[in-house]
């Protein structure tokens, strides 16, 4: 199986980039021919074992989308360079990851070369857009603004679903999206969860035992992560007489300045990785993740691997990771976030028990098992294409 992988995030710090690099590493470790195409600082070609990498530079007209992410309207200028590499590589499947310049290039070349496409959904761009529009359209009366935002969100989702119809097989990180994409695209839709490295993330990395209860967050400090809820959570804890706590915030972004001004007791680590990240997770006593737009929530599993129970919102993918009352809690709103935080603060034995259960849960979620399922989806993708191109052969084989 020869796979060409067009990823919209590779060098950045986010769940898509992490998954992309893990998939590439899986292919390399198993000697599987794998071509990765991504946007970077320069245009060039690199060989790494069985892996070939094509790095493509964006133009000066690229439109910034988020931290490190952009859309280049002139990205198609790389078509000939990538086409020549693909002709030499001879892919069986082209894997695209989203609605951005890199994946659009991959989808076009797949059509040109008649190579089947597998499309994996990683980012709820419709919900991200809705969050950003809340700020942009704040001059419009609230009721009219909400109607406009809901309309825009629905239209963006419908457009993304139409784009994903190019895939013979569609992968999504949670059941809600699997069902929605299956209905919307009329394609085979499969679940693609995420793995976690339980050796890197471990309770053994803990270095703080000073009696302070640490409520942790890890991720981009952006509006779509709903991070301002952390300040509301702190107000709720103070109102109930809690003082021996601290917020441990890992990550950076536009909301950091607001949080620094509005959180009374917080330690901001900024962006960290490797052992420092593993140590930060292990030093948390509860992981608080209020995002309602995440399709999966890799950070929740990393907290689990570190022996930390999580409190997550009841919208988005993280709710499917947490076993309510066993490995953490699923909160319907700010009052739930306060109530569940207090339950963990006031009952250390339960907090420890839930942390052990969380660690036990993710021990079964290895990256290898995730990508073995992805390669099965590649095979299914190729078989569907073969049946569509030669239906008579399928009939003959059945007879």
């Amino acid at each position: 199986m020869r796979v060409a992988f067009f990823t919209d995030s590779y060098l950045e710090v986010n769940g898509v980039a992490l998954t992309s690099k893990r998939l590439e590493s899986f292919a390399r470790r198993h000697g599987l021919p794998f071509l990765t195409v991504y946007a970077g600082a320069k245009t060039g070609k690199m060989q790494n074992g069985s892996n070939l990498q094509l790095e493509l530079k964006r133009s000066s007209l690229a439109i910034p989308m988020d931290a490190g992410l952009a859309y280049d309207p002139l990205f198609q200028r790389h078509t000939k360079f990538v086409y020549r590499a693909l002709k030499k590589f001879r892919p069986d499947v082209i894997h695209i990851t989203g609605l951005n310049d890199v994946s659009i290039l991959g989808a076009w070349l797949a059509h040109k070369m008649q190579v089947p496409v597998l499309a994996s959904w990683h980012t709820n761009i419709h919900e991200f857009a809705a969050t950003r529009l809340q700020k942009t359209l704040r001059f419009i009366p609230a009721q009219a603004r909400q109607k406009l935002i809901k309309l825009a969100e629905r239209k963006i989702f419908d457009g993304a679903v139409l784009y994903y119809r190019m895939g013979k097989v569609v992968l999504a990180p949670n059941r809600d999206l699997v069902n929605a994409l299956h209905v919307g695209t009329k394609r085979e839709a499969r679940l693609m969860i995420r793995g976690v490295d339980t050796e890197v993330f471990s309770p053994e990395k803990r270095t703080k035992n000073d009696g302070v209860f640490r409520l942790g967050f890890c991720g981009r400090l952006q509006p779509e992560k709903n991070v301002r809820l952390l300040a509301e959570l702190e107000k709720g804890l103070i109102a109930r007489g809690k003082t021996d706590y601290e917020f441990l915030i890992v990550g950076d972004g536009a909301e950091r300045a607001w949080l620094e001004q509005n959180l009374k007791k917080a330690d901001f680590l900024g962006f960290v990785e490797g052992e420092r990240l593993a140590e930060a997770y292990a030093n948390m006593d509860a992981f608080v993740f209020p995002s309602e737009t995440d399709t999966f929530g890799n950070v929740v599993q990393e907290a689990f691997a570190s022996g930390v129970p999580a409190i997550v919102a009841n919208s988005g993918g993280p709710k499917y990771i947490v076993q309510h009352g066993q490995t953490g809690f699923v909160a319907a709103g700010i009052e739930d976030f306060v109530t569940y935080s207090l339950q963990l603060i006031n009952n250390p034995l339960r907090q420890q028990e839930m942390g052990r259960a969380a660690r036990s849960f993710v021990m079964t979620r290895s990256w290898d098992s995730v990508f073995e399922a992805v390669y099965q989806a590649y095979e299914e993708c190729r078989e569907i294409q073969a049946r569509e191109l030669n239906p008579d052969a399928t009939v003959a084989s059945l007879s």
Side-chain angles (χ1 to χ4, degrees):
M1 177 63 66
R2 306 180 67 82
V3 177
F5 180 52
F6 286 73
T7 177
D8 290 307
S9 190
Y10 183 80
L11 298 176
E12 297 76 23
V13 182
N14 56 51
V16 184
L18 169 66
T19 303
S20 298
K21 290 176 181 176
R22 291 283 188 173
L23 175 56
E24 183 185 57
S25 175
F26 173 86
R28 184 170 59 251
R29 286 187 291 104
H30 290 82
L32 303 170
F34 198 85
L35 168 61
T36 305
V37 183
Y38 61 93
K42 61 183 185 300
T43 296
K45 185 187 299 186
M46 294 151 281
Q47 188 77 41
N48 185 359
S50 62
N51 294 175
L52 176 65
Q53 294 181 335
L54 298 183
E55 183 175 325
L56 308 176
K57 183 178 180 179
R58 290 192 170 105
S59 74
S60 59
L61 295 180
I63 304 165
M65 305 292 287
D66 207 340
L69 298 175
Y71 175 82
D72 184 2
L74 301 181
F75 205 71
Q76 297 297 314
R77 72 187 187 281
H78 295 298
T79 299
K80 288 185 179 179
F81 173 67
V82 179
Y83 179 65
R84 287 194 296 269
L86 285 177
K87 289 285 284 185
K88 186 175 180 181
F89 181 75
R90 297 176 290 108
D92 297 306
V93 171
I94 286 179
H95 180 169
I96 62 175
T97 62
L99 187 54
N100 206 350
D101 44 19
V102 179
S103 283
I104 289 172
L105 176 60
W108 161 243
L109 289 172
H111 172 73
K112 181 181 177 68
M113 298 174 66
Q114 289 195 309
V115 176
V117 170
L118 179 139
S120 56
W121 183 290
H122 296 268
T123 305
N124 284 347
I125 57 172
H126 56 298
E127 293 180 347
F128 277 27
T131 303
R132 301 298 171 87
L133 283 172
Q134 287 284 1
K135 277 191 173 182
T136 305
L137 302 178
R138 59 180 177 269
F139 61 92
I140 297 176
Q143 188 173 1
R145 181 172 68 243
Q146 290 308 315
K147 287 183 178 179
L148 189 59
I149 289 171
K150 284 295 182 184
L151 176 63
E153 185 176 347
R154 185 169 67 253
K155 292 299 182 183
I156 292 169
F157 180 77
D158 290 345
V161 169
L162 184 63
Y163 173 78
Y164 270 76
R165 289 194 67 184
M166 289 185 288
K168 302 298 181 186
V169 176
V170 179
L171 302 180
N174 65 65
R175 282 293 173 194
D176 282 351
L177 281 170
V178 168
N179 294 335
L181 289 172
H182 175 65
V183 171
T185 63
K186 305 296 190 294
R187 302 298 191 218
E188 294 296 325
R190 300 284 180 265
L191 184 66
M192 178 186 174
I193 63 169
R194 307 289 185 264
V196 62
D197 191 327
T198 55
E199 292 185 5
V200 170
F201 300 104
S202 166
E204 296 178 3
K205 305 293 178 71
R206 188 176 180 99
T207 58
K208 292 185 182 295
N209 293 287
D210 52 8
V212 175
F213 192 96
R214 289 180 172 82
L215 298 134
F217 174 88
C218 180
R220 292 178 295 113
L221 302 181
Q222 297 289 357
E224 62 268 14
K225 297 293 185 180
N226 195 25
V227 289
R228 295 194 179 194
L229 181 140
L230 299 177
E232 295 300 313
L233 171 57
E234 182 177 50
K235 290 177 183 177
L237 295 178
I238 293 173
R240 288 159 179 79
K242 295 300 174 184
T243 58
D244 202 8
Y245 70 88
E246 181 181 65
F247 284 88
L248 182 57
I249 311 294
V250 180
D252 216 334
E255 294 285 78
R256 176 168 176 170
W258 188 93
L259 288 171
E260 287 178 332
Q261 292 176 359
N262 289 275
L263 282 173
K264 299 181 183 302
K265 301 175 71 172
D267 183 9
F268 290 84
L269 299 187
F271 167 70
V272 297
E273 58 184 345
E275 284 301 307
R276 285 195 66 199
L277 177 60
E279 179 184 321
Y281 273 120
N283 283 331
M284 298 173 187
D285 297 292
F287 186 74
V288 182
F289 198 61
S291 171
E292 298 178 349
T293 61
D294 275 59
T295 58
F296 186 75
N298 297 58
V299 291
V300 176
Q301 291 198 149
E302 290 168 355
F304 278 6
S306 306
V308 181
I311 307 171
V312 304
N314 67 345
S315 297
K319 68 182 180 185
Y320 293 102
I321 302 174
V322 174
Q323 296 165 296
H324 185 76
Q326 298 178 44
T327 60
F329 300 100
V330 178
I334 181 59
E335 287 303 318
D336 277 356
F337 274 99
V338 173
T339 297
Y340 296 141
S341 296
L342 287 170
Q343 286 186 24
L344 294 174
I345 292 171
N346 293 334
N347 193 337
L349 290 178
R350 189 177 190 197
Q351 183 273 338
Q352 294 168 15
E353 180 181 306
M354 295 179 82
R356 287 192 292 269
R359 168 82 177 171
S360 178
F361 170 74
V362 296
M363 290 297 288
T364 63
R365 293 195 158 196
S366 71
W367 281 108
D368 276 8
S369 65
V370 170
F371 296 135
E372 284 164 6
V374 171
Y375 266 81
Q376 290 172 6
Y378 291 152
E379 290 286 357
E380 184 177 11
C381 193
R382 184 167 62 170
E383 290 169 4
I384 292 171
Q385 171 98 334
R387 290 197 300 269
E388 291 176 351
L389 292 176
N390 193 1
D392 293 339
T394 303
V395 173
S397 65
L398 290 174
S399 61

